[in-house]
Amino acid sequence: METTSKIPTKMVLGIPIAALRRKEITSVVTRIIEKNGNKKTIFYVDANHFNIASKDSNYKRILQEATFVHASGIGPILASRILGQPLPERTPTPDFIKEIFSIAEKNKWSFYLLGGEEEIVRKAVENIKKRFPKLKIGGYHHGFFTQDTMIVEKINQASPDIILVGMGPP
């Protein structure tokens, strides 16, 4: 995966984490999305992600090769300080996702939501559409499935600019 070299990072337990403040996240994410070309991957990490990455080398590699990883939980912040690579603060997705939706609505970016229980993801779509009526949501699917190829086909048919995945690690 292509990385965005202009994002300052700190290495925490072998994973490069964006050394940004919450107020900087939206512009960085927007810049990543606006770049044409290869697909980009953006992940958040908390202590659980580090625990899984320490046992699952494939998952750790995915995080290492991501376009952008940000620290959602306090665990990465504390670890970064202990390791002498201090991150400035937590950057939980709920703190900036509404700004991303607003920008996406203006730029006509489309979304596909994947994850959670059927009722939860459906309600999430309804709530997002109430707040951002012009936001394009090309589709959604719950996170409990066994037919990966069917989901990939649905996502490809929807051809979203952004896929929000809410399924937890890995």
Side-chain angles (χ1 to χ4, degrees):
M1 245 335 121
E2 173 187 326
T3 59
T4 306
S5 59
K6 295 178 184 173
I7 299 171
T9 60
K10 300 287 184 168
M11 207 55 124
V12 181
L13 301 172
I15 299 168
I17 311 293
L20 299 172
R21 298 197 172 279
R22 281 187 289 269
K23 66 183 180 183
E24 300 169 296
I25 294 286
T26 302
S27 63
V28 171
V29 171
T30 301
R31 192 171 72 233
I32 290 169
I33 293 168
E34 287 175 337
K35 279 185 140 184
N36 293 324
N38 298 332
K39 294 180 188 215
K40 312 295 190 277
T41 56
I42 300 172
F43 295 96
Y44 73 86
V45 291
D46 58 25
N48 185 44
H49 294 84
F50 283 113
N51 288 335
I52 292 169
S54 73
K55 298 173 187 142
D56 183 339
S57 61
N58 188 47
Y59 180 60
K60 184 174 185 176
R61 181 188 51 76
I62 289 168
L63 292 174
Q64 290 170 330
E65 294 176 1
T67 306
F68 174 62
V69 178
H70 65 97
S72 179
I74 195 67
I77 303 303
L78 295 175
S80 72
R81 291 176 184 163
I82 291 167
L83 297 169
Q85 295 284 317
L87 293 166
E89 65 184 355
R90 293 175 55 235
T91 54
T93 304
D95 288 2
F96 61 83
I97 195 66
K98 290 175 187 159
E99 290 176 56
I100 299 294
F101 287 152
S102 180
I103 292 166
E105 192 175 46
K106 290 175 191 153
N107 290 323
K108 297 182 170 60
W109 296 337
S110 62
F111 285 82
Y112 191 98
L113 278 66
L114 178 64
E117 295 178 13
E118 177 69 34
E119 178 68 13
I120 302 296
V121 71
R122 186 185 61 71
K123 273 295 223 195
V125 170
E126 286 176 16
N127 289 334
I128 292 166
K129 291 298 279 179
K130 282 179 190 170
R131 179 108 188 239
F132 303 94
K134 294 181 182 174
L135 185 67
K136 294 180 183 179
I137 299 180
Y140 63 90
H141 198 279
H142 62 80
F144 300 92
F145 54 87
T146 56
Q147 295 290 326
D148 294 358
T149 51
M150 179 199 63
I151 301 301
V152 171
E153 286 175 19
K154 285 178 82 171
I155 293 170
N156 286 338
Q157 286 174 348
S159 190
D161 297 300
I162 302 160
I163 304 169
L164 289 181
V165 180
M167 295 177 65

